[in-house]
């Protein structure tokens, strides 16, 4: 049995926000360890349904175990960016509520062999979906210098992005960069001073590479729009963002949807930011 430690954040707020009706259909697009899902499914009658999506098979295994007493849960190994297709395949066209708790889980970060952490030495991996081909090792060893610098700057908001990209290129000319520790050592050499307030020198580069490997930002805008369109009248969408990049993409999509949907008078968008 996998040890999945992840404390669900904003749990009360999400449950309140979803305004669960017992016979409704709900989607948790980031099932993880089912912390939020358990609270949703508890409130459903046998007529209600929860659809739990995750691209990490470990998360699905843990969630199935944690929710085993509930028979009205469907588990989908997939990407919430495909929410429309997933619902179509289930012949469900509208749902009462959708939850997205964006980003990585503590389980993924803390599991050494998944290669997400700059604190643990491991193969450079960082894939949320273990079936995916692209890994962090591919990004670090095959992307051009300008591309690496752009990613580290945009997704990591790292001011030393150019210096880090340059050092990566120099290092990989000697040998393939294979482990998280090797990458951390390269980053440390590239960062001219250690700004304690900014945290570990590899923190932002690791975030950037993880976002690139898992394509976390680009699809988000359409995902949010598709999620809104998958809701019934009066349906609720709750999204928890972790950093400003996610936050911006979500707010942009919400704002546009609000404009259009006010006109159709079909939806009320409750905003908590
Ligand atoms: C922050 S955790 C969610 C934790 C969960 N709410 C809980 O209480 O345990 C995010 C989860 O979403 C998954 N995930 C991230 N992006 C995804 C995507 N685009 N499609 C499906 N799952 C995704 C990750 O694999 C991870 O398990």
């Amino acid at each position: 049995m996998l040890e999945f430690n992840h404390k669900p954040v904003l749990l009360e707020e999400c449950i309140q926000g979803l305004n669960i009706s017992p016979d409704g259909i709900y989607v948790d697009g980031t099932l993880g360890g089912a912390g939020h899902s358990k609270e949703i499914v508890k409130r459903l009658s046998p007529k209600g349904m929860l659809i739990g999506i995750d691209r990490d098979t470990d998360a699905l295994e843990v969630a199935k175990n944690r929710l085993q007493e509930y028979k009205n849960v469907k588990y989908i190994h997939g990407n919430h960016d495909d929410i429309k297709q997933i619902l179509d395949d289930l012949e469900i066209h509208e749902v009462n509520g959708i939850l997205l708790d964006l980003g990585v889980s503590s389980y993924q970060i803390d599991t050494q062999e998944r290669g997400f952490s700059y604190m643990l030495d491991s193969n450079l991996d960082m894939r949320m979906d273990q079936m995916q081909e692209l890994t962090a090792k591919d990004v670090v060893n095959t992307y051009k210098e300008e591309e690496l610098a752009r990613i580290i700057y945009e997704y990591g908001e790292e001011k030393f992005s150019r210096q880090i990209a340059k050092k990566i290129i120099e290092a990989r000319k000697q040998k393939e960069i294979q482990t998280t520790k090797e990458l951390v050592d390269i980053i440390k050499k590239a960062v001219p001073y250690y700004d304690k307030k900014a945290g570990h020198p590899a923190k932002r580069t690791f975030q950037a590479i993880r976002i690139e490997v898992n394509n976390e930002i680009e699809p988000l805008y359409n995902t949010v729009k598709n999620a809104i369109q998958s809701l019934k009248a009066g349906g609720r969408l709750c999204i928890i963002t972790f950093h400003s990049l996610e936050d911006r993409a979500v707010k942009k999509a919400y704002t546009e949807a609000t404009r259009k949907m006010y006109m159709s008078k079909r939806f009320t968008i409750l905003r908590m930011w």
Side-chain angles (χ1 to χ4, degrees):
M1 175 57 190
L2 295 164
E3 203 37 54
F4 198 108
N5 293 317
H6 181 96
K7 194 172 176 303
V9 296
L10 296 170
L11 184 58
E12 277 300 309
E13 291 84 346
C14 289
I15 297 303
Q16 260 187 35
L18 286 170
N19 192 28
I20 295 166
S21 63
D23 297 344
I25 303 177
Y26 291 85
V27 178
D28 182 346
T30 47
L31 184 62
H36 292 91
S37 272
K38 185 151 192 177
E39 292 304 312
I40 297 172
V41 77
K42 262 189 202 170
R43 290 164 170 79
L44 296 180
S45 76
K47 278 199 214 155
M49 188 199 289
L50 173 72
I51 300 156
I53 305 170
D54 205 295
R55 51 178 163 178
D56 184 338
T57 48
D58 285 358
L60 288 161
E61 189 187 322
V62 170
K64 275 183 196 163
N65 212 294
R66 290 209 173 140
L67 303 178
Q68 58 184 310
E69 67 192 277
Y70 302 98
K71 303 299 164 216
N72 47 351
V73 185
K74 290 199 186 299
Y75 302 91
I76 310 287
H77 178 229
N79 193 315
H80 59 231
D81 302 332
D82 304 321
I83 187 161
K84 269 190 161 173
Q85 190 58 51
I86 290 171
L87 292 176
D88 275 356
D89 292 347
L90 295 170
E91 297 183 4
I92 293 170
H93 303 296
E94 287 186 325
V95 300
N96 299 66
I98 299 172
L99 171 70
L100 298 175
D101 176 11
L102 300 173
V104 274
S105 63
S106 314
Y107 166 79
Q108 288 164 329
I109 300 269
D110 297 341
T111 304
Q112 184 159 4
E113 58 273 22
R114 301 296 296 268
F116 282 97
S117 172
Y118 49 82
M119 305 291 280
L120 303 168
D121 191 18
S122 165
N123 269 335
L124 268 173
D125 189 320
M126 303 195 197
R127 290 170 301 169
M128 289 185 190
D129 182 348
Q130 301 93 327
M131 319 271 167
Q132 179 185 302
E133 278 193 15
L134 184 75
T135 66
K137 196 190 283 177
D138 298 327
V139 171
V140 168
N141 287 289
T142 65
Y143 279 30
K144 292 195 175 120
E145 184 173 338
E146 314 79 71
E147 193 59 1
L148 281 173
R150 182 191 65 79
I151 288 165
I152 297 169
Y153 181 71
E154 280 182 19
Y155 296 159
E157 302 182 285
E158 168 61 68
K159 62 183 171 190
F160 301 116
S161 56
R162 283 176 194 283
Q163 290 91 323
I164 293 170
K166 189 160 181 275
K167 284 277 183 234
I168 289 176
I169 303 294
E170 280 171 20
R172 77 188 199 198
K173 278 188 192 148
Q174 308 303 315
K175 74 174 244 334
E176 190 184 54
I177 303 163
Q178 291 184 342
T179 67
T180 48
K181 177 160 186 323
E182 284 167 16
L183 183 59
V184 169
D185 289 343
I186 294 164
I187 297 167
K188 280 185 178 163
K189 283 187 205 141
V191 174
Y193 56 88
Y194 198 139
D195 178 357
K196 279 211 172 128
K197 267 199 272 164
H200 192 287
K203 183 175 141 188
R204 287 165 300 284
T205 302
F206 269 60
Q207 171 181 297
I209 294 170
R210 185 205 92 208
I211 289 176
E212 173 66 15
V213 169
N214 297 292
N215 193 19
E216 291 175 48
I217 303 298
E218 250 87 84
L220 207 46
Y221 174 77
N222 279 326
T223 304
V224 174
K225 285 175 65 168
N226 288 336
I228 292 171
Q229 279 166 16
S230 305
L231 291 174
K232 284 187 168 153
R236 300 283 181 103
L237 171 61
C238 285
I239 305 181
I240 304 168
T241 59
F242 184 70
H243 53 74
S244 54
L245 299 163
E246 292 169 347
D247 202 48
R248 275 200 290 274
V250 169
K251 283 176 180 165
K252 190 165 178 252
Y254 253 67
T255 306
E256 276 194 18
T258 315
R259 218 180 291 136
K260 286 190 190 131
M261 285 163 186
Y262 268 151
M263 308 234 285
S264 77
K265 293 209 168 63
R266 197 168 161 235
F267 288 87
T268 308
I269 309 265
L270 304 170
R271 304 198 301 189
M272 286 175 62
W273 65 81

